[in-house]
Coordinates of all heavy atoms in Angstrom, one line a residue:
V121 N -228.4 -42.6 162.0 CA -228.8 -43.7 161.0 C -227.8 -43.6 159.8 O -227.3 -44.6 159.3 CB -230.2 -43.6 160.6 CG1 -230.6 -44.5 159.4 CG2 -231.2 -43.9 161.8
L122 N -227.5 -42.4 159.4 CA -226.7 -42.2 158.2 C -225.3 -42.8 158.3 O -224.7 -43.3 157.4 CB -226.6 -40.7 157.8 CG -227.9 -40.1 157.3 CD1 -227.7 -38.6 157.0 CD2 -228.5 -40.8 156.1
D123 N -224.8 -42.7 159.6 CA -223.4 -43.2 159.8 C -223.4 -44.8 159.7 O -222.4 -45.4 159.4 CB -223.0 -42.8 161.2 CG -221.5 -43.2 161.4 OD1 -220.6 -42.6 160.6 OD2 -221.2 -43.9 162.4
C124 N -224.6 -45.4 160.0 CA -224.6 -46.9 159.9 C -225.1 -47.4 158.6 O -224.8 -48.5 158.3 CB -225.6 -47.3 161.0 SG -225.0 -47.0 162.7
D125 N -225.9 -46.6 157.9 CA -226.6 -47.1 156.7 C -226.6 -46.1 155.5 O -227.3 -46.4 154.6 CB -228.1 -47.4 157.1 CG -228.8 -48.3 156.1 OD1 -228.2 -49.2 155.5 OD2 -230.0 -48.0 155.9
G126 N -225.9 -45.0 155.6 CA -225.9 -44.1 154.5 C -225.0 -44.4 153.4 O -224.1 -45.2 153.5
D127 N -225.3 -43.9 152.2 CA -224.4 -44.0 151.1 C -223.3 -43.0 151.1 O -223.6 -41.8 151.1 CB -225.3 -43.8 149.8 CG -224.5 -43.9 148.5 OD1 -223.3 -44.2 148.6 OD2 -225.0 -43.6 147.5
P128 N -222.0 -43.4 151.3 CA -221.0 -42.4 151.4 C -220.9 -41.4 150.3 O -220.5 -40.3 150.4 CB -219.7 -43.3 151.5 CG -220.2 -44.7 151.9 CD -221.6 -44.8 151.4
D129 N -221.3 -41.8 149.0 CA -221.3 -41.0 147.8 C -222.3 -39.9 148.1 O -222.2 -38.8 147.6 CB -221.6 -41.7 146.6 CG -220.4 -42.5 146.2 OD1 -219.3 -42.2 146.7 OD2 -220.6 -43.6 145.5
T130 N -223.4 -40.1 148.8 CA -224.5 -39.2 149.1 C -224.2 -38.4 150.3 O -224.4 -37.1 150.3 CB -225.8 -39.9 149.1 OG1 -226.1 -40.7 148.0 CG2 -227.0 -38.9 149.4
T131 N -223.8 -39.0 151.3 CA -223.5 -38.3 152.7 C -222.3 -37.5 152.7 O -222.1 -36.6 153.4 CB -223.6 -39.3 153.8 OG1 -222.5 -40.2 153.6 CG2 -224.9 -40.1 153.9
G132 N -221.4 -38.0 151.9 CA -220.0 -37.2 151.8 C -219.1 -37.7 153.0 O -218.0 -37.1 153.2
K133 N -219.5 -38.8 153.7 CA -218.6 -39.2 154.7 C -218.6 -40.8 154.7 O -219.6 -41.3 154.3 CB -218.9 -38.7 156.1 CG -220.2 -39.2 156.8 CD -220.2 -38.6 158.2 CE -221.2 -39.5 159.0 NZ -221.3 -39.0 160.4
A134 N -217.5 -41.4 155.2 CA -217.4 -42.8 155.2 C -218.4 -43.4 156.3 O -218.6 -42.8 157.3 CB -216.0 -43.2 155.5
L135 N -218.9 -44.5 156.0 CA -219.7 -45.3 157.0 C -218.8 -45.5 158.2 O -217.6 -45.7 158.2 CB -220.1 -46.6 156.6 CG -221.2 -46.6 155.5 CD1 -221.5 -48.0 154.9 CD2 -222.5 -46.1 156.1
G136 N -219.4 -45.4 159.4 CA -218.7 -45.7 160.7 C -217.9 -44.6 161.3 O -217.2 -44.7 162.3
T137 N -218.0 -43.4 160.7 CA -217.2 -42.2 161.2 C -217.6 -42.0 162.6 O -216.7 -41.8 163.5 CB -217.4 -41.0 160.3 OG1 -217.0 -41.4 159.0 CG2 -216.6 -39.8 160.8
D138 N -218.8 -41.9 162.9 CA -219.3 -41.7 164.3 C -218.8 -42.8 165.2 O -218.4 -42.5 166.3 CB -220.8 -41.6 164.4 CG -221.4 -40.3 163.8 OD1 -220.5 -39.3 163.5 OD2 -222.6 -40.3 163.4
L139 N -218.9 -44.0 164.8 CA -218.5 -45.2 165.6 C -217.0 -45.0 165.9 O -216.6 -45.2 167.0 CB -218.7 -46.5 164.8 CG -218.1 -47.7 165.4 CD1 -218.9 -48.0 166.8 CD2 -218.4 -48.9 164.5
L140 N -216.1 -44.6 164.9 CA -214.7 -44.5 165.1 C -214.4 -43.3 166.1 O -213.4 -43.3 166.8 CB -214.0 -44.3 163.9 CG -213.8 -45.6 163.0 CD1 -213.2 -45.2 161.6 CD2 -212.8 -46.5 163.7
D141 N -215.3 -42.3 166.0 CA -215.0 -41.0 166.8 C -215.5 -41.2 168.2 O -215.4 -40.3 169.0 CB -215.7 -39.8 166.2 CG -215.0 -39.3 164.9 OD1 -213.9 -39.7 164.6 OD2 -215.7 -38.5 164.2
G142 N -216.2 -42.3 168.5 CA -216.8 -42.5 169.8 C -218.1 -41.8 170.0 O -218.6 -41.7 171.2
T143 N -218.7 -41.4 168.9 CA -220.1 -40.8 169.0 C -221.1 -41.9 168.9 O -221.2 -42.6 168.0 CB -220.3 -39.8 167.8 OG1 -219.3 -38.9 167.9 CG2 -221.7 -39.1 167.9
V144 N -221.7 -42.2 170.1 CA -222.7 -43.2 170.2 C -224.1 -42.7 169.8 O -224.7 -41.9 170.5 CB -222.7 -43.8 171.7 CG1 -223.6 -45.0 171.7 CG2 -221.3 -44.2 172.1
T145 N -224.5 -43.2 168.6 CA -225.8 -42.8 168.1 C -226.9 -43.8 168.5 O -226.6 -44.9 169.0 CB -225.7 -42.7 166.6 OG1 -225.3 -44.0 166.1 CG2 -224.7 -41.6 166.1
L146 N -228.1 -43.5 168.2 CA -229.3 -44.3 168.6 C -229.1 -45.7 168.0 O -229.2 -46.7 168.8 CB -230.5 -43.7 168.3 CG -231.8 -44.4 168.7 CD1 -231.8 -44.7 170.2 CD2 -233.1 -43.8 168.2
P147 N -228.8 -45.9 166.8 CA -228.6 -47.3 166.3 C -227.6 -48.0 167.1 O -227.8 -49.2 167.3 CB -228.2 -47.1 164.8 CG -228.8 -45.8 164.4 CD -228.7 -44.9 165.7
L148 N -226.5 -47.4 167.4 CA -225.4 -48.0 168.2 C -225.9 -48.4 169.6 O -225.6 -49.5 170.1 CB -224.1 -47.2 168.3 CG -223.4 -47.0 167.0 CD1 -222.3 -46.0 167.2 CD2 -222.9 -48.3 166.5
L149 N -226.6 -47.5 170.2 CA -227.1 -47.8 171.6 C -228.2 -49.0 171.5 O -228.1 -49.8 172.4 CB -227.9 -46.6 172.1 CG -227.0 -45.4 172.6 CD1 -227.9 -44.2 172.8 CD2 -226.2 -45.8 173.8
L150 N -229.0 -49.0 170.6 CA -230.0 -50.0 170.4 C -229.3 -51.4 170.1 O -229.6 -52.4 170.8 CB -231.0 -49.7 169.4 CG -232.0 -48.5 169.6 CD1 -232.8 -48.2 168.4 CD2 -232.8 -48.8 170.8
A151 N -228.4 -51.3 169.3 CA -227.6 -52.6 168.9 C -226.8 -53.1 170.1 O -226.7 -54.3 170.3 CB -226.7 -52.4 167.7
A152 N -226.2 -52.2 170.9 CA -225.4 -52.5 172.0 C -226.3 -53.2 173.0 O -225.8 -54.1 173.8 CB -224.7 -51.4 172.6
R153 N -227.5 -52.9 173.2 CA -228.5 -53.6 174.1 C -228.7 -55.0 173.7 O -229.0 -55.9 174.5 CB -229.7 -52.8 174.2 CG -229.8 -51.5 174.9 CD -231.2 -51.0 174.9 NE -231.1 -49.6 175.5 CZ -232.2 -48.8 175.5 NH1 -233.3 -49.2 174.9 NH2 -232.1 -47.7 176.1
R154 N -228.6 -55.3 172.4 CA -229.1 -56.5 171.8 C -227.9 -57.5 171.5 O -228.1 -58.7 171.4 CB -229.9 -56.3 170.5 CG -231.0 -55.4 170.7 CD -231.6 -55.0 169.5 NE -232.7 -54.1 169.6 CZ -233.4 -53.4 168.7 NH1 -233.0 -53.5 167.5 NH2 -234.4 -52.6 169.1
D155 N -226.7 -56.9 171.4 CA -225.6 -57.7 170.8 C -224.4 -57.4 171.6 O -223.9 -56.3 171.7 CB -225.4 -57.3 169.3 CG -224.3 -58.2 168.7 OD1 -223.3 -58.5 169.3 OD2 -224.5 -58.5 167.5
P156 N -223.9 -58.5 172.4 CA -222.8 -58.3 173.2 C -221.5 -57.8 172.5 O -220.6 -57.1 173.0 CB -222.6 -59.6 173.9 CG -223.5 -60.5 173.4 CD -224.4 -59.8 172.5
E157 N -221.3 -58.2 171.2 CA -220.1 -57.8 170.5 C -220.2 -56.4 170.1 O -219.2 -55.7 170.2 CB -220.0 -58.7 169.2 CG -219.6 -60.1 169.6 CD -219.2 -61.0 168.4 OE1 -218.6 -60.4 167.4 OE2 -219.6 -62.2 168.4
V158 N -221.3 -55.9 169.8 CA -221.4 -54.4 169.5 C -221.2 -53.6 170.8 O -220.5 -52.7 170.8 CB -222.9 -54.1 168.9 CG1 -223.0 -52.5 168.8 CG2 -223.1 -54.8 167.6
R159 N -221.8 -54.1 171.9 CA -221.7 -53.5 173.2 C -220.1 -53.4 173.5 O -219.6 -52.4 174.0 CB -222.4 -54.2 174.3 CG -222.3 -53.6 175.6 CD -223.3 -54.3 176.6 NE -223.4 -55.7 176.6 CZ -224.5 -56.4 176.1 NH1 -225.5 -55.7 175.7 NH2 -224.5 -57.7 176.1
E160 N -219.4 -54.5 173.3 CA -218.0 -54.5 173.6 C -217.2 -53.5 172.8 O -216.3 -52.7 173.3 CB -217.4 -55.9 173.4 CG -216.0 -56.2 173.9 CD -214.9 -55.8 172.9 OE1 -215.2 -56.0 171.7 OE2 -213.8 -55.3 173.3
V161 N -217.5 -53.4 171.5 CA -216.8 -52.4 170.6 C -217.1 -51.0 171.1 O -216.2 -50.1 171.2 CB -217.2 -52.6 169.1 CG1 -216.7 -51.5 168.2 CG2 -216.6 -54.0 168.6
V162 N -218.4 -50.7 171.3 CA -218.8 -49.4 171.8 C -218.1 -49.0 173.1 O -217.6 -47.9 173.3 CB -220.3 -49.3 171.9 CG1 -220.7 -48.0 172.7 CG2 -221.0 -49.4 170.5
A163 N -218.0 -49.9 174.0 CA -217.4 -49.7 175.3 C -215.9 -49.5 175.2 O -215.4 -48.5 176.0 CB -217.7 -50.9 176.2
R164 N -215.2 -50.2 174.4 CA -213.8 -50.0 174.4 C -213.3 -49.0 173.3 O -212.2 -48.5 173.3 CB -213.1 -51.4 174.1 CG -213.2 -51.9 172.7 CD -212.3 -53.1 172.4 NE -212.7 -53.9 171.3 CZ -212.7 -53.6 170.0 NH1 -212.1 -52.5 169.7 NH2 -213.1 -54.5 169.2
G165 N -214.2 -48.7 172.4 CA -213.8 -47.8 171.3 C -213.5 -48.6 170.1 O -212.7 -49.6 170.2
A166 N -214.0 -48.2 168.9 CA -213.8 -48.9 167.7 C -212.4 -48.6 167.1 O -211.9 -47.5 167.2 CB -214.9 -48.6 166.7
E167 N -211.9 -49.7 166.5 CA -210.7 -49.5 165.7 C -211.2 -49.7 164.2 O -212.2 -50.2 164.0 CB -209.7 -50.7 166.0 CG -209.2 -50.8 167.4 CD -208.3 -49.6 167.7 OE1 -207.6 -49.1 166.8 OE2 -208.3 -49.2 168.9
P168 N -210.4 -49.2 163.3 CA -210.8 -49.2 161.9 C -211.2 -50.6 161.4 O -212.3 -50.7 160.7 CB -209.6 -48.8 161.1 CG -209.0 -47.8 162.0 CD -209.1 -48.5 163.4
A169 N -210.6 -51.6 161.9 CA -211.0 -53.1 161.5 C -212.3 -53.4 162.1 O -213.0 -54.4 161.6 CB -209.9 -54.0 162.0
D170 N -212.8 -52.8 163.1 CA -214.1 -53.1 163.7 C -215.3 -52.5 163.0 O -216.4 -53.0 163.1 CB -214.2 -52.4 165.2 CG -213.2 -53.0 166.1 OD1 -213.0 -54.3 166.1 OD2 -212.7 -52.2 166.9
V171 N -215.1 -51.5 162.1 CA -216.2 -50.8 161.6 C -217.2 -51.6 160.8 O -218.4 -51.7 161.1 CB -215.8 -49.5 160.7 CG1 -216.9 -48.9 160.0 CG2 -215.0 -48.5 161.6
L172 N -216.7 -52.2 159.7 CA -217.7 -52.9 158.8 C -218.3 -54.1 159.5 O -219.6 -54.3 159.5 CB -217.0 -53.4 157.5 CG -216.6 -52.2 156.6 CD1 -216.0 -52.7 155.3 CD2 -217.8 -51.4 156.3
P173 N -217.6 -55.0 160.3 CA -218.3 -56.1 161.1 C -219.3 -55.5 162.1 O -220.4 -56.1 162.2 CB -217.1 -56.8 161.7 CG -215.9 -56.4 161.0 CD -216.1 -55.1 160.4
T174 N -219.0 -54.4 162.8 CA -219.9 -53.9 163.7 C -221.1 -53.3 163.1 O -222.2 -53.6 163.6 CB -219.1 -52.8 164.6 OG1 -218.1 -53.4 165.2 CG2 -220.1 -52.3 165.7
L175 N -221.0 -52.6 162.0 CA -222.1 -52.0 161.3 C -223.0 -53.2 160.8 O -224.2 -53.0 160.7 CB -221.7 -51.0 160.2 CG -221.0 -49.8 160.7 CD1 -220.6 -48.9 159.5 CD2 -221.9 -49.1 161.7
A176 N -222.4 -54.3 160.3 CA -223.2 -55.4 159.9 C -224.0 -55.9 161.0 O -225.2 -56.2 160.8 CB -222.3 -56.5 159.2
R177 N -223.4 -56.1 162.3 CA -224.2 -56.6 163.4 C -225.2 -55.5 163.8 O -226.3 -55.9 164.2 CB -223.2 -56.8 164.5 CG -222.1 -57.9 164.2 CD -221.3 -58.2 165.4 NE -222.0 -59.0 166.4 CZ -222.1 -60.3 166.3 NH1 -221.5 -61.0 165.3 NH2 -222.8 -61.0 167.2
V178 N -224.9 -54.2 163.7 CA -226.0 -53.3 164.0 C -227.2 -53.4 163.1 O -228.3 -53.4 163.5 CB -225.4 -51.8 163.9 CG1 -226.5 -50.7 164.0 CG2 -224.3 -51.6 165.0
A179 N -226.9 -53.6 161.8 CA -228.0 -53.8 160.8 C -228.8 -55.0 161.1 O -230.0 -55.0 161.1 CB -227.5 -53.7 159.4
A180 N -228.0 -56.1 161.4 CA -228.6 -57.4 161.6 C -229.5 -57.4 162.9 O -230.5 -58.2 163.0 CB -227.6 -58.5 161.7
S181 N -229.2 -56.5 163.8 CA -230.0 -56.5 165.1 C -231.3 -55.9 164.9 O -232.1 -55.8 165.8 CB -229.1 -55.7 166.2 OG -229.1 -54.4 165.9
G182 N -231.5 -55.1 163.8 CA -232.8 -54.4 163.6 C -232.7 -53.0 164.2 O -233.6 -52.3 164.1
A183 N -231.5 -52.6 164.7 CA -231.4 -51.3 165.4 C -231.5 -50.1 164.3 O -232.1 -49.1 164.7 CB -230.0 -51.2 166.1
V184 N -231.1 -50.2 163.1 CA -231.2 -49.2 162.1 C -232.6 -48.9 161.8 O -233.1 -47.8 161.9 CB -230.4 -49.5 160.9 CG1 -230.6 -48.4 159.8 CG2 -228.9 -49.5 161.2
A185 N -233.4 -50.0 161.6 CA -234.8 -49.8 161.3 C -235.5 -49.3 162.6 O -236.4 -48.4 162.5 CB -235.4 -51.2 160.9
D186 N -235.2 -49.7 163.8 CA -235.8 -49.2 164.9 C -235.5 -47.7 165.2 O -236.4 -47.0 165.7 CB -235.4 -50.1 166.2 CG -236.0 -51.4 166.1 OD1 -236.9 -51.7 165.3 OD2 -235.6 -52.3 166.9
A187 N -234.3 -47.3 164.9 CA -233.9 -45.9 165.0 C -234.7 -45.0 164.1 O -235.1 -44.0 164.4 CB -232.4 -45.7 164.9
R188 N -234.8 -45.6 162.8 CA -235.7 -44.8 161.8 C -237.1 -44.7 162.3 O -237.7 -43.6 162.2 CB -235.7 -45.6 160.5 CG -234.4 -45.2 159.7 CD -234.7 -45.6 158.2 NE -233.5 -45.1 157.5 CZ -232.6 -46.0 157.0 NH1 -232.6 -47.2 157.2 NH2 -231.5 -45.4 156.3
A189 N -237.6 -45.7 162.9 CA -239.0 -45.8 163.4 C -239.2 -44.7 164.6 O -240.1 -44.1 164.6 CB -239.4 -47.2 163.8
E190 N -238.2 -44.7 165.4 CA -238.1 -43.7 166.5 C -238.1 -42.3 166.0 O -238.9 -41.4 166.5 CB -236.9 -44.0 167.5 CG -237.0 -43.1 168.8 CD -238.1 -43.4 169.6 OE1 -238.8 -44.5 169.5 OE2 -238.4 -42.6 170.5
A191 N -237.3 -42.0 165.0 CA -237.3 -40.8 164.4 C -238.7 -40.4 163.8 O -239.1 -39.3 163.9 CB -236.2 -40.7 163.3
E192 N -239.3 -41.4 163.1 CA -240.6 -41.1 162.6 C -241.6 -40.8 163.7 O -242.5 -39.9 163.5 CB -241.1 -42.3 161.8 CG -240.4 -42.5 160.5 CD -240.8 -41.5 159.4 OE1 -241.8 -40.8 159.6 OE2 -240.0 -41.3 158.5
R193 N -241.5 -41.5 164.8 CA -242.5 -41.2 165.9 C -242.3 -39.8 166.5 O -243.2 -39.1 166.7 CB -242.2 -42.2 167.1 CG -242.9 -43.5 166.8 CD -242.9 -44.4 168.0 NE -241.6 -44.9 168.4 CZ -241.0 -46.0 167.8 NH1 -241.6 -46.6 166.9 NH2 -239.8 -46.4 168.2
H194 N -241.1 -39.3 166.6 CA -240.7 -38.0 167.1 C -241.2 -37.0 166.0 O -241.8 -35.9 166.4 CB -239.2 -37.8 167.3 CG -238.8 -38.4 168.7 ND1 -239.1 -37.9 169.9 CD2 -238.2 -39.6 168.9 CE1 -238.6 -38.6 170.9 NE2 -238.0 -39.6 170.3
A195 N -241.0 -37.2 164.8 CA -241.5 -36.4 163.7 C -243.0 -36.2 163.7 O -243.5 -35.1 163.6 CB -240.9 -36.8 162.3
A196 N -243.7 -37.4 163.9 CA -245.1 -37.3 163.9 C -245.7 -36.5 165.1 O -246.5 -35.7 165.0 CB -245.7 -38.7 164.0
A197 N -245.0 -36.6 166.2 CA -245.3 -35.8 167.4 C -245.1 -34.3 167.2 O -245.9 -33.5 167.5 CB -244.6 -36.4 168.6
A198 N -244.0 -34.0 166.6 CA -243.7 -32.6 166.3 C -244.7 -32.0 165.3 O -245.1 -30.9 165.5 CB -242.2 -32.5 165.7
V199 N -245.0 -32.7 164.2 CA -246.0 -32.2 163.3 C -247.4 -32.0 164.0 O -248.1 -31.1 163.7 CB -246.1 -33.2 162.0 CG1 -247.3 -32.8 161.2 CG2 -244.8 -33.1 161.2
S200 N -247.7 -33.0 164.8 CA -249.0 -32.9 165.5 C -249.0 -31.6 166.4 O -250.0 -30.9 166.5 CB -249.2 -34.1 166.4 OG -250.4 -34.0 167.1
A201 N -247.9 -31.4 167.1 CA -247.8 -30.2 167.9 C -247.9 -28.9 167.1 O -248.6 -27.9 167.5 CB -246.5 -30.2 168.7
L202 N -247.3 -28.9 166.0 CA -247.4 -27.8 165.0 C -248.8 -27.5 164.6 O -249.2 -26.4 164.5 CB -246.4 -28.0 163.8 CG -245.0 -27.9 164.1 CD1 -244.2 -28.3 162.9 CD2 -244.6 -26.4 164.5
E203 N -249.5 -28.6 164.2 CA -250.9 -28.5 163.8 C -251.8 -27.9 164.9 O -252.8 -27.2 164.6 CB -251.4 -29.8 163.3 CG -250.8 -30.2 162.0 CD -251.1 -31.7 161.7 OE1 -251.7 -32.5 162.5 OE2 -250.7 -32.1 160.5
A204 N -251.4 -28.2 166.1 CA -252.2 -27.7 167.2 C -252.0 -26.2 167.5 O -252.8 -25.6 168.2 CB -251.9 -28.4 168.5
L205 N -251.1 -25.6 166.8 CA -250.9 -24.1 166.9 C -251.9 -23.3 166.1 O -251.9 -22.0 166.2 CB -249.5 -23.7 166.5 CG -248.3 -24.4 167.5 CD1 -247.0 -24.0 166.9 CD2 -248.4 -23.8 168.8
D206 N -252.8 -24.0 165.4 CA -253.8 -23.3 164.6 C -253.4 -22.1 163.9 O -254.0 -21.0 164.0 CB -255.0 -22.9 165.6 CG -255.6 -24.2 166.2 OD1 -255.7 -25.2 165.5 OD2 -256.0 -24.1 167.3
G207 N -252.3 -22.2 163.1 CA -252.0 -21.0 162.3 C -251.2 -19.9 162.9 O -251.0 -18.9 162.3
R208 N -250.9 -20.0 164.2 CA -250.1 -18.9 164.9 C -248.6 -18.9 164.4 O -248.0 -17.9 164.6 CB -250.2 -19.1 166.4 CG -251.6 -18.9 166.9 CD -251.7 -19.2 168.4 NE -251.6 -20.6 168.6 CZ -251.6 -21.2 169.8 NH1 -251.7 -20.5 170.9 NH2 -251.7 -22.5 169.9
V209 N -248.2 -19.9 163.7 CA -246.8 -19.9 163.1 C -247.1 -20.6 161.7 O -248.1 -21.3 161.5 CB -245.8 -20.7 163.9 CG1 -245.6 -20.0 165.3 CG2 -246.2 -22.1 164.1
D210 N -246.1 -20.5 160.9 CA -246.1 -21.1 159.6 C -245.8 -22.6 159.7 O -244.7 -23.1 159.6 CB -245.1 -20.5 158.6 CG -245.2 -21.0 157.2 OD1 -246.0 -22.0 157.0 OD2 -244.4 -20.5 156.3
S211 N -246.8 -23.4 160.2 CA -246.6 -24.7 160.5 C -246.3 -25.6 159.2 O -245.6 -26.6 159.4 CB -247.8 -25.4 161.2 OG -248.9 -25.2 160.4
G212 N -246.7 -25.1 158.1 CA -246.3 -25.9 156.9 C -244.8 -25.9 156.6 O -244.2 -26.9 156.3
A213 N -244.1 -24.7 156.8 CA -242.7 -24.7 156.6 C -242.0 -25.4 157.6 O -241.1 -26.2 157.4 CB -242.3 -23.2 156.6
L214 N -242.4 -25.4 158.9 CA -241.8 -26.1 160.0 C -242.1 -27.6 159.8 O -241.1 -28.4 160.1 CB -242.3 -25.6 161.3 CG -241.9 -24.2 161.7 CD1 -242.6 -23.8 163.0 CD2 -240.4 -24.1 161.9
S215 N -243.2 -28.0 159.4 CA -243.5 -29.4 159.1 C -242.5 -29.9 158.0 O -242.1 -31.0 158.1 CB -244.9 -29.6 158.7 OG -245.8 -29.4 159.7
A216 N -242.3 -29.1 157.0 CA -241.4 -29.5 155.9 C -240.0 -29.7 156.5 O -239.3 -30.7 156.0 CB -241.4 -28.5 154.8
V217 N -239.5 -28.9 157.4 CA -238.2 -29.1 158.0 C -238.2 -30.3 158.8 O -237.2 -31.1 158.7 CB -237.9 -27.9 159.0 CG1 -236.7 -28.1 159.8 CG2 -237.8 -26.6 158.1
V218 N -239.2 -30.7 159.5 CA -239.3 -31.9 160.3 C -239.2 -33.1 159.3 O -238.4 -34.0 159.5 CB -240.6 -32.0 161.1 CG1 -240.8 -33.4 161.7 CG2 -240.6 -31.0 162.2
R219 N -240.0 -33.1 158.3 CA -239.9 -34.2 157.2 C -238.6 -34.4 156.6 O -238.1 -35.4 156.5 CB -241.0 -34.0 156.2 CG -242.4 -34.0 156.7 CD -243.0 -35.3 157.2 NE -242.3 -36.5 157.0 CZ -242.2 -37.5 157.9 NH1 -242.7 -37.3 159.2 NH2 -241.6 -38.6 157.6
T220 N -238.0 -33.3 156.3 CA -236.7 -33.2 155.7 C -235.6 -33.9 156.6 O -234.7 -34.7 156.2 CB -236.2 -31.9 155.3 OG1 -237.2 -31.4 154.3 CG2 -234.8 -31.9 154.6
A221 N -235.7 -33.5 157.8 CA -234.7 -34.1 158.9 C -234.9 -35.6 158.9 O -234.0 -36.3 159.1 CB -235.0 -33.5 160.2
V222 N -236.1 -36.1 158.9 CA -236.3 -37.5 159.1 C -236.0 -38.3 157.7 O -235.6 -39.4 157.8 CB -237.8 -37.8 159.5 CG1 -238.1 -39.3 159.5 CG2 -237.9 -37.3 160.9
E223 N -236.3 -37.7 156.6 CA -236.2 -38.4 155.3 C -234.9 -38.2 154.6 O -234.6 -38.8 153.7 CB -237.3 -37.9 154.4 CG -238.7 -38.3 154.9 CD -239.8 -37.6 154.2 OE1 -239.6 -36.8 153.3 OE2 -241.0 -37.8 154.5
R224 N -234.0 -37.4 155.2 CA -232.8 -37.1 154.5 C -231.9 -38.2 154.3 O -231.9 -39.2 155.2 CB -232.1 -35.9 155.3 CG -231.4 -36.3 156.5 CD -230.8 -35.1 157.2 NE -229.7 -35.5 158.1 CZ -228.4 -35.3 158.0 NH1 -228.0 -34.5 156.9 NH2 -227.5 -35.7 158.8
R225 N -231.1 -38.2 153.3 CA -230.1 -39.3 153.0 C -228.7 -38.8 152.9 O -227.8 -39.6 152.7 CB -230.6 -39.9 151.6 CG -231.9 -40.6 151.7 CD -231.9 -41.8 152.5 NE -233.2 -42.5 152.5 CZ -233.9 -42.7 153.6 NH1 -233.4 -42.5 154.7 NH2 -235.0 -43.4 153.5
A226 N -228.6 -37.4 153.1 CA -227.2 -36.9 153.1 C -227.1 -35.8 154.1 O -228.0 -35.4 154.8 CB -227.0 -36.2 151.7

């Protein structure tokens, strides 16, 4: 998500770095299913001129929001599993790690 929608000043990397490197993230996969132009860029590999238009299409497709929602679902399942351990581990600390991973901006 951060590669498609993060603040470069906060993340420390330019938007679209994963796209340019050929790293296909969940937002890109979801958008490629919905938008043939995104699918074509992902399939052939992005050029620098592709980055901003493709990321705009990814956002417009709802893929960024859907990827965030999927991360939230996984985090909720992880926290639930930790709670089921009934104190056998420090579930509070591990739950904080899960929340940080989902809520991070950098």
Side-chain angles (χ1 to χ4, degrees):
V121 170
L122 294 179
D123 189 61
C124 295
D125 191 42
D127 176 5
D129 291 333
T130 304
T131 63
K133 73 177 199 176
L135 287 172
T137 302
D138 290 341
L139 176 62
L140 283 171
D141 289 344
T143 302
V144 183
T145 59
L146 184 57
L148 291 174
L149 286 171
L150 295 173
R153 287 182 183 168
R154 301 169 185 173
D155 185 318
E157 289 186 37
V158 174
R159 184 171 38 255
E160 191 270 326
V161 169
V162 169
R164 71 169 159 75
E167 298 293 329
D170 295 320
V171 172
L172 292 180
T174 301
L175 294 182
R177 295 184 78 85
V178 170
S181 76
V184 173
D186 289 347
R188 277 198 174 103
E190 185 67 15
E192 287 290 341
R193 282 190 290 279
H194 283 283
V199 169
S200 179
L202 288 168
E203 290 169 353
L205 295 175
D206 295 325
R208 290 178 284 183
V209 297
D210 185 356
S211 60
L214 292 172
S215 292
V217 170
V218 170
R219 295 295 344 139
T220 299
V222 173
E223 295 168 0
R224 77 186 198 111
R225 298 289 180 234

